[in-house]
Amino acid sequence: MNANDILGAIGVGIILLAYFLSIFSWIKKEGILFYMMNIIGASIACITSYLINYMPFVIPE
């Protein structure tokens, strides 16, 4: 794994963590923590996709 792979995994991991925490009602789906985790995770994933020149993933993020 290179640095871009690790960074992308962290970004997607943050998004998934927010999702699972909300499913188990450990955080509110409408709460600031849920939104911030999604924004941060998506931003990291988007930047990583740009760095590896994979534009189809940049657009949905």
Side-chain angles (χ1 to χ4, degrees):
M1 285 185 95
N2 60 30
N4 290 333
D5 293 334
I6 295 169
L7 190 59
I10 291 170
V12 172
I14 293 171
I15 295 169
L16 290 174
L17 180 62
Y19 174 72
F20 284 116
L21 290 176
S22 69
I23 285 178
F24 294 112
S25 299
W26 291 343
I27 62 173
K28 294 180 182 180
K29 292 180 185 175
E30 296 84 22
I32 189 74
L33 181 58
F34 179 76
Y35 290 121
M36 290 306 298
M37 288 177 76
N38 275 289
I39 289 169
I40 292 168
S43 297
I44 293 170
C46 183
I47 291 167
T48 304
S49 295
Y50 177 77
L51 291 174
I52 64 172
N53 202 23
Y54 188 69
M55 291 304 135
F57 193 68
V58 172
I59 294 167
E61 290 298 328

